[in-house]
Amino acid sequence: MPWPSAAALLAPLAPWFDRVRRDLPWRAQNLDAPHTDPYAVLVSELMLQQTQVATVTPYFVRWMDRFPTPAALAAASEDTVHKTWEGLGYYRRARFLQTAAASVAAEGWPNDLAGLAGLPGLGPYTAAAVGAIAFQWPTPALDGNAFRVLARLVRIEGDPRLEAANLRDWLTPALVEHGPSRLTQALMELGATLCLPNPACAACPLADACRAFQEGCTASIPPPAKRTPVQKVDLWLVALETEGRFLLREPASRGLLAGLWRWPALPAEDLPAMAPAPTGQVAWPGWTQVYTHRREAVSPIYLRLDHSFPAPEGLRWVPRADLPALPLGKRDQRLRDLLDTPGQIPLQTPGLTALIQAMGSTGW
Ligand code: SF4
C-alpha cells in the first residue's frame, strides 16, 4: 500500500466541507460531537441507499414526524410503515429499518461496529457510516462514491473494491485526525457533487494532490463496472372492478415487493390469442417502468364486470374506498392515480370474459 498519508492528502477536504456543506434535516450542526439523534442518522442512511438526497429529504421529514423514535417505529403497523415509505422504492429498507428500530428500542444502541453491522439491513458500508456520523467512531464507510474518489486520489487502476481492506486501514488515521463524522460526510459530499463519473476537478479541493487528475487519467478510474443485462417485459396492468371493489394481489411476506399490494399484471406474451390492439382498448397511454435490472413496458387497463366471482388464491377484492390507504409500489400507484382522474370509463369489450378466464389460468 504505497500511498501517501491519508491524513495529509485529505486535509483540504474538511475545511472545504465546512464551507460548502448543505443544510440537511438529518445533519448535525456540531460535527465534532456524537450526533444527538443516532436514529435520525440511521433513517437517513437507509433512505439514502440507492436514492438521491432531493428525493429523500421530504420522506425523511415525514418519517421523523410520524415515527420520531425507534420505539414509535417499532410499534407501528407494517401497512403504516410501508405507506409512509410509499414511492421511495426498495421497500426492503423500510422493513429492515423497522426491525432494526425494534432491536434498538428493546436493547439500546450497539456499542461497536460489529453490533451495528448485526442490525437488519445494515451492510458494512451503512454500519460504518452510522458509526462515524452518529457515534464519531473512526469506521471508514466505503460506498461507490468513496471508492471512486479514493481510487482517483491515489490512482488505483483496477477495481478499487478489491483494495477495500487496505483503503479502510489507510483511511482510519485520517478519520481520527479530521473527525469521523466530518470527514465521512465530506467524502460523501465530494463524491456526490464534484468527483462524479465525469468529475469537476477545477473546483475540487483535492486537485493538487489527486494523482488521477494530475496524470490525466480520471476517465479510466475506476474502470467501468460490468453491467447486468436488463430484462425487458411488456405487460398489462389490470384494474378490474366489480360491485365497487377492485381485485388486487395481496402483499407477499418476502422478497423485493414484500408488504406491498399490487394490481394483477399479465405478461403480454402470455396472452397472444386475445391481446387487444394497443389503441381503442387500452384505457390510458402506457409508460416504461424502469427498475435496476428490469424495464417494463406497462399498458394500464381498467375493466369492469357486472358480476363478481371468488378472488383467486393470493388475490383479494378491495373496496374502492380502501385503495388510498394501501401501500403500493411506484408502478401500481400510477394506475391507482389514473383511476382517480375524472372521466375514466372502464372497458366493456367482447373479449372481456376470455380475458378474465385467461388471467385466472395464468395464475395472475
Ligand atoms: S481532482 Fe477530480 S478526480 Fe481528483 S478527487 Fe477531485 S474531482 Fe475527483
Side-chain angles (χ1 to χ4, degrees):
M1 185 171 60
W3 304 322
S5 145
L9 280 186
L10 294 170
L13 201 51
W16 167 81
F17 181 62
D18 283 340
R19 274 199 318 280
V20 305
R21 75 185 205 194
R22 294 169 285 179
D23 209 9
L24 301 173
W26 52 86
R27 198 167 258 172
Q29 287 301 314
N30 180 2
L31 298 185
D32 297 311
H35 199 291
T36 53
D37 187 0
Y39 168 67
V41 178
L42 176 68
V43 172
S44 67
E45 283 301 322
L46 274 159
M47 286 188 170
L48 286 164
Q49 289 174 7
Q50 320 275 349
T51 311
Q52 302 281 332
V53 165
T55 306
V56 163
T57 300
Y59 277 92
F60 175 84
V61 172
R62 268 200 303 277
W63 187 275
M64 296 301 285
D65 193 43
R66 180 163 279 191
F67 315 117
T69 62
L73 177 56
S77 75
E78 198 177 312
D79 263 6
T80 307
V81 169
H82 281 114
K83 187 70 192 164
T84 312
W85 195 276
E86 188 180 80
L88 205 47
Y90 299 97
Y91 289 81
R92 211 166 30 166
R93 295 178 295 173
R95 294 192 298 283
F96 284 150
L97 191 48
Q98 188 177 31
T99 315
S103 166
V104 170
E107 297 168 28
W109 286 96
N111 53 18
D112 60 18
L113 183 63
L116 273 184
L119 293 176
L122 273 72
Y125 164 76
T126 307
V130 173
I133 297 169
F135 300 112
Q136 296 284 4
W137 300 341
T139 46
L142 300 177
D143 67 348
N145 282 353
F147 276 121
R148 185 171 61 248
V149 173
L150 299 177
R152 287 169 168 171
L153 189 62
V154 297
R155 190 167 178 167
I156 296 171
E157 303 277 352
D159 181 354
R161 290 172 193 276
L162 300 176
E163 296 282 355
N166 286 334
L167 282 169
R168 285 196 191 96
D169 289 347
W170 175 75
L171 200 53
T172 300
L175 292 169
V176 173
E177 171 109 7
H178 301 299
S181 176
R182 179 178 280 105
L183 194 65
T184 299
Q185 294 187 73
L187 261 178
M188 290 175 175
E189 193 91 348
L190 189 74
T193 58
L194 296 179
C195 197
L196 298 162
N198 186 15
C201 300
C204 178
L206 304 181
D208 288 346
C210 176
R211 279 197 61 193
F213 175 54
Q214 294 296 334
E215 295 164 22
C217 54
T218 55
S220 59
I221 297 178
K226 287 197 185 97
R227 294 208 174 276
T228 309
V230 174
Q231 182 195 14
K232 297 180 182 164
V233 286
D234 292 347
L235 56 81
W236 292 9
L237 198 59
V238 183
L240 174 62
E241 183 181 21
T242 184
E243 299 170 353
R245 301 176 305 163
F246 284 92
L247 195 59
L248 279 104
R249 187 182 286 284
E250 295 172 325
S253 58
R254 307 175 61 177
L256 276 181
L257 298 173
L260 299 177
W261 291 79
R262 287 174 287 156
W263 299 105
L266 296 162
E269 66 191 32
D270 286 356
L271 298 168
M274 68 204 59
T279 55
Q281 292 205 33
V282 174
W284 300 282
W287 70 85
T288 302
Q289 195 75 37
V290 180
Y291 303 92
T292 313
H293 301 306
R294 184 175 157 96
R295 287 173 79 88
E296 291 178 350
V298 179
S299 297
I301 49 176
Y302 175 17
L303 308 171
R304 186 180 288 160
L305 286 180
D306 56 9
H307 60 280
S308 189
F309 61 90
E313 192 181 340
L315 287 95
R316 199 188 302 172
W317 289 107
V318 176
R320 181 185 263 268
D322 292 351
L323 286 182
L326 295 185
L328 304 178
K330 271 194 177 164
R331 180 196 72 186
D332 299 69
Q333 280 174 52
R334 197 158 165 174
L335 178 49
R336 180 176 59 194
D337 292 347
L338 285 170
L339 290 171
D340 285 343
T341 46
Q344 300 304 342
I345 301 171
L347 299 176
Q348 303 277 6
T349 70
L352 192 57
T353 306
L355 175 63
I356 303 298
Q357 285 168 352
M359 284 177 171
S361 69
T362 55
W364 301 82

